[in-house]
């Protein structure tokens, strides 16, 4: 009995002691500074707070508003990539003025030391003067350069330096509706003036308007001089540009361009000053006319209006010598970086992303642009392949280096010529004067 009592008492005391120890341990952990606190243990196991993202704003200037949706989406991809890889929070202020105002707006910005971080330039018309003025960064050491096709790389190289990233590499002539040609019994695009006249008669006999005219935006009729001059100068007057720059030639020497221009203007749709590029794309897509002196850069808008249209690209006849019908082979829209940008590293990241090996093929395919780089893997479009058949036969020329002021003036003069407010002689006199003034201004 005593033994049982002692055992029971011992167990009771032991349980009390253990309970006391547990109580003291808990109190010590919460009140004493000698042991680790629960909060201290938690703090040591948590990951450190991420560093705040660096904020950068880029200003991008591009005169291609018809592609705003595509570039907005692509720039969002870039922003996500830059945030994930470099923890840079990029905001992009994309300015996309109308093509007719874009160049003058850009020149004003550059001249007033308000240059965008990245901006659009024309590879042939803008790079020489912009480079001489100090507006273009040397991009020769950038990753995208090594991927460019050689013939494309040459178009954005000046003074031995790559100074822009090419976007649009073009093989273009006029557009034609293959079904309407077939309906009129035309088996192939005409290559001479006489063939064009005969085909115009065939189209009109089937109540098909030969040409779409859209003169609301002056850059569109200007394409008639771009193509007609290119074919005529290259085939018959190869030194005309040099002579014009030296004051030894005249538009009178190449007035043969009016042969095809007159044919187009006399056989086109009504009220062209009420039609711009957007409406023109819709009208052409829906068969309002069989031909349109416009480039394949309108393909996206045309196919959006009529996904089933089958159109081709053909060289514009300029004489009765088929050698004069040539495809314009050039690079136009390109992207440059300002030497004065305060965010050059991020600006260069964006520039290189335009030719990203993984993502850029989808962008260029959506834009309906030609491949310009070895990273591009998408299939060329049928109209590009058609244009390239002429190029492969040697029926192509590099875009003529006409002064920008002359290009702008040609656009206005063609509108006036159609409206009969200026004669052919007046056109020639005005363009000769504009060219001489441009040469003087550029100090050639």
């Amino acid at each position: 009995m005593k033994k049982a009592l002692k055992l029971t008492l011992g167990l009771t005391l032991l349980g009390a002691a253990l309970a006391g120890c547990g109580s003291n341990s808990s109190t010590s952990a919460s009140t004493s500074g000698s042991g680790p606190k629960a909060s201290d243990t938690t703090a040591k196991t948590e990951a450190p707070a991420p560093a705040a993202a660096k904020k950068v704003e880029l200003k991008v200037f591009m005169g291609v508003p018809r592609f705003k949706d595509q570039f907005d989406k692509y720039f969002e991809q870039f922003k996500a990539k830059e945030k994930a890889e470099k923890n840079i929070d990029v905001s992009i202020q994309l300015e996309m003025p109308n093509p007719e105002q874009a160049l003058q707006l850009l020149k004003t910005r550059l001249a007033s030391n308000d240059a965008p971080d990245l901006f659009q330039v024309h590879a042939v018309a803008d790079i020489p003067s912009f480079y001489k003025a100090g507006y273009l960064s040397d991009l020769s050491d950038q990753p995208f350069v090594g991927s460019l096709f050689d013939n494309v790389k040459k178009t954005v190289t000046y003074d031995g330096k790559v100074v822009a990233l090419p976007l649009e590499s073009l093989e273009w002539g006029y557009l034609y509706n293959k079904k309407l040609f077939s309906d009129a019994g035309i088996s192939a695009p005409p290559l001479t003036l006489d063939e064009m006249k005969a085909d115009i008669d065939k189209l009109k006999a089937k109540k098909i308007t030969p040409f779409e005219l859209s003169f609301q935006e002056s850059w569109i009729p200007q394409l008639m001089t771009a193509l007609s001059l290119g074919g005529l100068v290259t085939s018959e007057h190869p030194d005309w540009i040099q002579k014009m720059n030296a004051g030894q030639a005249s538009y009178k020497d190449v007035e043969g361009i009016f042969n095809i221009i007159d044919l187009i203007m006399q056989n086109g749709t009504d009220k062209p000053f009420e039609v711009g590029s957007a409406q023109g794309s819709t009208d052409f897509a829906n068969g309002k006319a069989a031909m349109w002196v416009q480039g394949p850069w309108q393909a996206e808008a045309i196919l959006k209006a009529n996904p089933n249209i089958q159109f081709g690209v053909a060289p514009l006849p300029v004489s009765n010598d088929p050698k004069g019908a040539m495809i314009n082979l050039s690079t136009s829209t390109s992207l440059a970086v300002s030497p004065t940008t305060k965010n050059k590293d991020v600006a260069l990241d964006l520039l290189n992303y335009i030719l990203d090996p993984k993502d850029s093929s989808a962008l260029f395919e959506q834009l309906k642009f030609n491949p310009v780089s070895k990273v591009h893997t998408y299939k060329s479009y049928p109209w590009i392949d058609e244009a390239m058949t002429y190029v492969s036969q040697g029926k192509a020329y590099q875009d003529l280096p006409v002064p920008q002021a002359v290009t702008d003036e040609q656009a206005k003069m063609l509108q006036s010529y159609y409206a009969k407010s200026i004669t052919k002689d007046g056109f020639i006199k005005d363009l000769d004067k504009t060219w001489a003034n441009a040469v003087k201004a550029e100090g050639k």
Side-chain angles (χ1 to χ4, degrees):
M1 183 71 180
K2 285 183 179 179
K3 286 183 179 179
L5 181 61
K6 287 181 180 178
L7 179 59
T8 301
L9 181 61
L11 290 171
T12 303
L13 291 172
L14 178 60
L18 290 171
C21 287
S23 175
N24 288 341
S25 175
S26 175
T27 303
S28 174
S30 61
T31 62
S32 171
S34 61
K37 297 181 181 180
S39 59
D40 291 342
T41 303
T42 302
K44 286 185 178 180
T45 59
E46 287 180 353
K54 177 183 177 182
K55 294 185 181 296
V56 170
E57 181 184 62
L58 290 181
K59 294 180 179 179
V60 181
F61 184 101
M62 303 177 73
V64 284
R66 67 188 184 280
F67 297 132
K68 186 178 187 304
D69 290 345
Q70 291 90 335
F71 279 107
D72 276 341
K73 179 181 177 182
Y74 198 70
F75 289 166
E76 286 299 316
Q77 293 175 210
F78 168 75
K79 289 158 66 174
K81 180 181 174 73
E82 201 76 349
K83 182 70 181 292
E85 296 181 359
K86 297 190 176 182
N87 198 29
I88 300 176
D89 190 358
V90 183
S91 60
I92 297 177
Q93 182 181 324
L94 178 58
E95 186 177 356
M96 281 195 162
N98 184 288
E100 292 201 310
Q101 285 85 45
L103 183 61
Q104 190 53 51
L105 286 172
L106 178 60
K107 285 182 175 180
T108 300
R109 296 271 296 277
L110 294 173
S112 59
N113 296 317
D114 183 28
D117 299 286
L118 297 96
F119 53 88
Q120 175 186 320
V121 292
H122 189 287
V124 176
D126 298 334
I127 281 180
S129 59
F130 278 40
Y131 177 83
K132 291 173 184 176
Y135 295 146
L136 306 179
S137 294
D138 182 1
L139 306 171
S140 303
D141 62 350
Q142 291 305 301
F144 79 84
V145 172
S147 74
L148 294 176
F149 295 138
D150 288 341
N151 63 326
V152 175
K153 181 180 175 181
K154 291 176 183 176
T155 64
V156 291
T157 300
Y158 193 85
D159 196 26
K161 303 170 186 176
V162 174
V163 293
L165 179 146
L167 282 168
E168 285 189 274
S169 173
L170 303 172
E171 292 90 32
W172 69 283
Y174 69 92
L175 309 181
Y176 71 97
N177 185 314
K178 292 190 173 186
K179 182 179 184 304
L180 295 184
F181 265 41
S182 178
D183 290 347
I186 302 171
S187 58
L191 298 179
T192 68
L193 286 173
D194 284 346
E195 288 175 1
M196 176 62 84
K197 291 173 184 176
D199 288 344
I200 287 172
D201 290 341
K202 291 178 183 178
L203 289 165
K204 293 170 79 171
K206 291 290 184 178
K207 308 297 183 186
I208 300 170
T209 303
F211 287 96
E212 170 72 26
L213 300 183
S214 48
F215 290 180
Q216 189 180 70
E217 300 161 45
S218 63
W219 66 271
I220 302 176
Q222 197 283 134
L223 298 174
M224 290 189 291
T225 49
L227 285 178
S228 58
L229 269 176
L232 196 64
V233 167
T234 304
S235 62
E236 298 183 18
H237 305 275
D239 58 352
W240 184 75
I241 295 287
Q242 291 82 354
K243 286 185 174 180
M244 285 295 289
N245 288 334
Q248 300 170 355
S250 165
Y251 267 77
K252 185 74 175 174
D253 304 325
V254 292
E255 65 177 334
I257 62 174
F258 287 100
N259 293 328
I260 185 63
I261 290 174
D262 287 343
L263 266 181
I264 295 167
M265 289 184 170
Q266 292 163 8
N267 294 281
T269 50
D270 297 330
K271 301 180 180 178
F273 291 108
E274 297 178 11
V275 181
S277 57
Q279 186 60 49
S281 295
T282 299
D283 290 346
F284 179 73
N286 292 324
K288 192 170 181 178
M291 295 174 279
W292 191 19
V293 181
Q294 181 62 277
W297 50 81
Q298 293 296 132
E300 195 268 345
I302 292 168
L303 292 171
K304 186 175 181 179
N306 179 6
N308 297 317
I309 185 175
Q310 298 292 317
F311 71 90
V313 174
L316 191 69
V318 294
S319 68
N320 277 324
D321 184 350
K323 292 181 181 178
M326 308 179 81
I327 290 290
N328 182 311
L329 178 65
S330 64
T331 300
S332 59
T333 307
S334 306
L335 204 58
V337 174
S338 170
T340 63
T341 177
K342 296 178 181 178
N343 300 296
K344 191 164 189 177
D345 289 345
V346 181
L348 291 173
D349 284 349
L350 177 55
L351 187 77
N352 282 291
Y353 186 65
I354 297 294
L355 289 180
D356 182 77
K358 178 175 176 288
D359 295 339
S360 68
S361 282
L363 171 67
F364 275 68
E365 189 169 15
Q366 290 165 11
L367 296 171
K368 306 293 188 293
F369 285 177
N370 296 357
V372 299
S373 163
K374 298 166 191 171
V375 304
H376 289 156
T377 57
Y378 60 95
K379 189 178 183 303
S380 295
Y381 299 99
W383 56 87
I384 294 174
D385 293 337
E386 181 176 1
M388 286 303 295
T389 62
Y390 295 100
V391 175
S392 64
Q393 297 166 11
K395 295 178 64 61
Y397 65 92
Q398 289 288 333
D399 209 6
L400 300 182
V402 175
Q404 185 60 49
V406 175
T407 297
D408 294 343
E409 188 67 13
Q410 284 177 160
K412 298 173 188 174
M413 289 296 101
L414 282 168
Q415 287 178 318
S416 299
Y417 183 69
Y418 179 85
K420 299 189 183 334
S421 59
I422 189 171
T423 64
K424 187 186 302 184
D425 288 339
F427 183 103
I428 291 170
K429 183 177 180 180
D430 181 89
L431 267 295
D432 283 350
K433 181 179 179 181
T434 302
W435 196 303
N437 289 339
V439 169
K440 184 178 180 181
E442 293 178 10
K444 288 185 178 180

